[in-house]
Amino acid sequence: MSSKGEHLGWGAYSPFSSIRVRVWSFDPDETINEEFLYHKILMATKLREALKIHEKSDAFRVIFGESDGLPGLIVDRYGDIAVMQILSAGAEYWREVIISAVREITHCKGIVERSDVEVRTLEGLQIREEVVWGAIPPQRLQIWENEIKYWVDVIGGQKTGFYLDQRENRARIRELAKDRDVLNAFCYTGGFTLSALMGGANSVISIDSSAAALELADENLRLNGLNPQQNQWIEGDVFRELRALRDRARKFDLIILDPPKFAPTAAQAQKAARAYKDINLLGFKLLQRGGLLVTFSCSGGINRELFQKIVADAALDAGVDAKIIEFLSQSADHPVALNFPESFYLKGLICVVS
Ligand code: SAH
């Protein structure tokens, strides 16, 4: 209700959270019940079908929280297994209903819950990680995306196991990589590395701080019959490794920077801006003339405009003349609700250095 007594909508109240109410519906005549949730989940599933994502991959996001009218609920599909993340008290309240609706609508064979993210504690919820229903998935599931196969660890991996939001951008790297010497910083399980090699890259250096991710990445490389000689995995800190490469005067024709969220919220924006500036400056310095910098930010606290400004500053300080040739974003199974602009979080730029 507003202060004037007008009905504003139906929402889930969470006394512990800084977001006190998450709105289920702005329609005063709506009833939030099983049927309501079932309908939303069905609509979300139908949207993905209409987008024909299944032609590109058997792994995709089925439900993307607020963007699908289901605040605090994430459901990703990895073949026959659904991985669910409940991030808000409202979604938690309807957990059982959500589970049976996901089962019925997606025809999955098993559901894993990965409600193991920090934000849950802000909602006063416990961390929960378990097989909720059905087939217990093997430690590693195999998925395919754009003709590339990947092992995904849905239980121990980051997020729900794979960075599904980068699907289209991985495909783009494949198109751009031919005959290039590539540097893939923050490589996780090798998505951009494999895409570059499939696209005919000359060589790749891939850096990540996670030994577990790199182990899977190496298996992914072999799974696709790619030549391990053409790639070097470096387990290390990207900030340090980029400096080490610069000190050795190494040069690349294509550099990918896909760091983790440096600024989850606006409060960390300033510190994060320095980190983005740092890696992008080093990225520009490591590029050959005519080389491409493909740089991302998935930080909610940094908007597209600010990100572009940081990259512009980095180019200036690196002393290079660069221009943006493409704007990249999250894949279509991560839609952006117009009334929830925060859901537009993945920003990417392709810059060419002349
Ligand atoms: N591009 C990847 C996803 C990258 S996610 C894909 O398409 O799948 C970000 C990665 O950065 C994670 O794998 C994390 O382990 C790694 N990471 C985080 N901080 C790091 C640091 N300081 N140095 C190196 N890697 C880091």
Side-chain angles (χ1 to χ4, degrees), residues 158 162-166 170 184-192 207-210 213 236-239 256 258-262 296:
Q158 296 179 21
F162 200 62
Y163 288 83
L164 299 167
D165 51 359
Q166 289 283 22
R170 282 188 284 265
N184 179 14
F186 309 97
C187 66
Y188 189 48
T189 55
F192 286 119
I207 310 169
D208 203 280
S209 55
S210 160
D237 175 32
V238 164
F239 293 84
I256 302 139
D258 184 22
K261 251 185 248 169
F262 291 146
F296 295 98

Side-chain angles (χ1 to χ4, degrees), residues 155-294:
I155 293 164
Q158 296 179 21
K159 286 180 102 180
T160 62
F162 200 62
Y163 288 83
L164 299 167
D165 51 359
Q166 289 283 22
R167 184 184 313 108
E168 310 303 326
N169 303 328
R170 282 188 284 265
R172 191 71 186 112
I173 289 298
R174 183 172 173 173
E175 291 168 348
L176 296 172
K178 193 156 176 48
D179 299 328
R180 292 187 191 258
D181 289 319
V182 180
L183 174 63
N184 179 14
F186 309 97
C187 66
Y188 189 48
T189 55
F192 286 119
T193 302
L194 271 62
S195 303
L197 289 172
M198 285 293 239
N202 189 42
S203 73
V204 186
I205 289 182
S206 311
I207 310 169
D208 203 280
S209 55
S210 160
L214 290 178
E215 198 179 307
L216 215 50
D218 192 51
E219 290 195 37
N220 285 337
L221 197 110
R222 291 160 204 274
L223 179 66
N224 289 280
L226 292 163
N227 182 0
Q229 307 282 319
Q230 279 179 296
N231 175 65
Q232 183 193 354
W233 305 113
I234 297 179
E235 183 187 335
D237 175 32
V238 164
F239 293 84
R240 266 197 23 220
E241 298 300 333
L242 293 184
R243 285 189 166 74
L245 291 164
R246 179 200 60 192
D247 294 345
R248 280 186 269 140
R250 286 292 309 263
K251 293 279 179 188
F252 299 89
D253 310 298
L254 172 61
I255 298 180
I256 302 139
L257 301 174
D258 184 22
K261 251 185 248 169
F262 291 146
T265 67
Q268 299 99 326
Q270 233 184 25
K271 189 158 168 262
R274 278 197 291 275
Y276 284 116
K277 166 97 179 275
D278 193 25
I279 53 171
N280 281 282
L281 196 157
L282 288 161
F284 278 125
K285 286 203 164 171
L286 288 167
L287 273 180
Q288 212 78 266
R289 282 187 152 228
L292 301 175
L293 181 71
V294 184

